[in-house]
Amino acid sequence: GVAACATGGGCGLFVMLSGSTGQPRFTTHVQNAAADAGYHAIGLAYSNAVSVAGMCQPLGSHNQTCQYNTRREVITGDDLSDVIDVPPADSIINRLYKLLVHLHALDGTLGWNRYYDEASDGAVHWHKITIAGHSQGAGTAQVIALMFAVHRVAMLAGGVVLLSSTYPPFAHTP
């Protein structure tokens, strides 16, 4: 789902990631609240059909590295994980970029092009984006915030899934 803020091009961008098996329509109320608060808002569909924790749990002591690399593959499409196969075209980065280009083509007056580099194929301006997620989406939002200097990150009922008593090293990165 997509919601344009009331002030047109003067907004930040709020991107919402659903939890395992979730679809953007499940978080429409969150997207609408973001739009009401002055953001452009997007509920982004991405590869979340199976929980990351479920895919990585059989790996035991390598679980935390698996979760991190699996989320990074979902984000970038780079081949980083043995438990998932996300091609670059289906990555979060590509999906977000292509959606922003499409929204700008639909209505250039709303300023969707402020969130990507028109001279570069696929460059998203993360510093203008608040990335949010619920459950599995929260963990993925966390990893995006570790990879890129986002404006803000919001993790709702989720984040790093712990299957041991220690946090994975990437959870402590500022």
Side-chain angles (χ1 to χ4, degrees), residues 7-125:
T7 58
C11 310
L13 177 61
F14 181 91
V15 177
M16 181 70 189
L17 304 174
S18 298
S20 301
T21 72
Q23 300 170 13
R25 65 184 171 89
F26 297 168
T27 59
T28 301
H29 58 287
V30 177
Q31 297 158 46
N32 289 340
D36 290 345
Y39 286 90
H40 278 112
I42 292 173
L44 191 68
Y46 70 104
S47 180
N48 66 342
V50 179
S51 79
V52 172
M55 285 187 278
C56 292
Q57 189 171 13
L59 298 177
S61 64
H62 298 288
N63 177 292
Q64 295 170 347
T65 300
C66 174
Q67 287 192 36
Y68 182 60
N69 288 337
T70 299
R71 292 178 198 279
R72 285 179 50 222
E73 182 163 334
V74 168
I75 294 163
T76 66
D78 295 337
D79 187 14
L80 302 168
S81 172
D82 293 333
V83 299
I84 195 167
D85 183 23
V86 178
D90 286 334
S91 69
I92 287 174
I93 292 172
N94 190 62
R95 286 172 170 263
L96 178 58
Y97 174 77
K98 296 291 186 180
L99 179 58
L100 291 170
V101 169
H102 175 72
L103 292 170
H104 181 66
L106 290 177
D107 187 345
T109 66
L110 292 177
W112 293 102
N113 62 329
R114 295 180 332 114
Y115 310 115
Y116 64 93
D117 184 352
E118 293 183 80
S120 170
D121 188 28
V124 175
H125 294 306

